[in-house]
Amino acid sequence: MAEFDTIRSGAVGARSAEIDAGLRAHMNKVYATMSIGLLITALGAWAISGLTVTADPAGTTYMLREGMYLTGLGEALYVSPLRWVVMFAPLGFLLLGWGAIMSRGTAAMAQVGFFIFAAVMGVSMSSIFLIYTPYSITQTFLVTAIAFAGLSIFGYTTKRNLSGMGTFLMMGVIGLIVAMIINIFLQSPAMMFAISGLGVLIFAGLTAFYTQDIKNTYIAMASHGDQEWLEKAAIDGALSLYISFLNMFQFLLMFMGQQE
């Protein structure tokens, strides 16, 4: 009997070690995919912003500031009705396209879809390089990265169940989107300040929640051995953390950003 218990304990220990190793690899893939997505977004935003301004007023109708004018592409992206498409394209992709990719597509399709989404986000966010100084953008990015790392570590290590908090925060996101749409028409600085503060808090909480959810999902599903599903789950987790990071960054930029 003692020999049987020893064998069983050894088997359980080996299985636990295997899951731990798999979890580390899974989380590394999540963070690596997220980081590549952020790099694509940053490079895309910077590249697009460089194509939207010119010092030559010839052929332009919109002056951004003294000595700087929007090109035809800049006017299309930031002034014409196309700006609404650029603004809401990422949200449309999440609501209409991502679920279909995750349910019917392969892991490779999910990864390509995520990188395309990151590129579209870069176009959508390119205006920040025209509004804020490069120093304040860099400073805010570093602050966001430090905060994100701390929140993600908390979500990974805490023994507290954050699922209830996640449900509450997702309701907050819906309210936040509605408030932002309303403020597009109201243009209220006080309302924008309140939205920014709430946005930072909501996506800070979601960072911890998503990290714990990614970890728990892997532990629950690792024993099934469906590698394709786990790869898609890693990409889906990367997308969730990517969105939390970018939203925290944008809302913090409203507080910390110095305008050109």
Side-chain angles (χ1 to χ4, degrees), residues 6-258:
T6 300
I7 294 172
R8 183 176 62 181
S9 298
V12 171
R15 181 57 182 163
S16 177
E18 182 181 344
I19 290 176
D20 287 344
L23 177 60
R24 285 193 296 271
H26 184 76
M27 297 303 297
N28 286 339
K29 180 175 177 60
V30 169
Y31 290 123
T33 303
M34 172 196 158
S35 299
I36 294 171
L38 288 174
L39 180 61
I40 291 172
T41 298
L43 292 177
W46 175 77
I48 290 293
S49 68
L51 298 173
T52 58
V53 293
T54 179
D56 181 7
T60 66
T61 59
Y62 190 93
M63 184 175 73
L64 185 64
R65 53 183 174 273
E66 188 65 33
M68 193 65 67
Y69 303 84
L70 287 180
T71 63
L73 176 61
E75 290 187 43
L77 292 179
Y78 310 133
V79 183
S80 79
L82 182 61
R83 74 183 188 275
W84 300 109
V85 177
V86 174
M87 185 183 303
F88 290 107
L91 181 61
F93 174 85
L94 291 177
L95 295 177
L96 303 175
W98 186 247
I101 292 174
M102 286 299 296
S103 62
R104 296 191 291 271
T106 64
M109 290 173 60
Q111 186 154 333
V112 171
F114 172 66
F115 291 150
I116 291 174
F117 173 77
V120 173
M121 278 297 300
V123 177
S124 182
M125 292 182 61
S126 60
S127 61
I128 67 171
F129 287 96
L130 309 184
I131 299 172
Y132 300 103
T133 64
Y135 174 80
S136 65
I137 292 173
T138 303
Q139 182 185 50
T140 305
F141 182 88
L142 291 175
V143 170
T144 307
I146 294 170
F148 176 89
L151 290 162
S152 195
I153 290 171
F154 169 76
Y156 187 86
T157 58
T158 185
K159 302 300 182 183
R160 179 184 175 187
N161 186 350
L162 303 180
S163 58
M165 182 180 77
T167 303
F168 175 77
L169 291 172
M170 288 306 299
M171 293 172 60
V173 170
I174 295 172
L176 202 63
I177 293 172
V178 172
M180 290 175 69
I181 292 174
I182 292 173
N183 202 46
I184 289 174
F185 303 99
L186 295 181
Q187 293 295 307
S188 167
M191 188 172 180
M192 194 67 250
F193 183 84
I195 289 171
S196 301
L198 288 172
V200 171
L201 294 175
I202 288 171
F203 285 100
L206 282 174
T207 296
F209 164 73
Y210 283 138
T211 303
Q212 185 182 79
D213 185 62
I214 293 166
K215 174 186 175 181
N216 290 343
T217 299
Y218 178 86
I219 293 173
M221 299 301 296
S223 59
H224 292 256
D226 188 344
Q227 192 60 36
E228 177 77 7
W229 189 93
L230 289 174
E231 288 182 11
K232 287 201 293 184
I235 298 165
D236 190 50
L239 177 65
S240 297
L241 292 178
Y242 164 93
I243 291 171
S244 292
F245 185 101
L246 279 189
N247 278 286
M248 270 203 300
F249 167 73
Q250 291 183 89
F251 286 124
L252 280 172
L253 192 60
M254 294 177 187
F255 289 114
M256 300 176 61
Q258 299 174 359

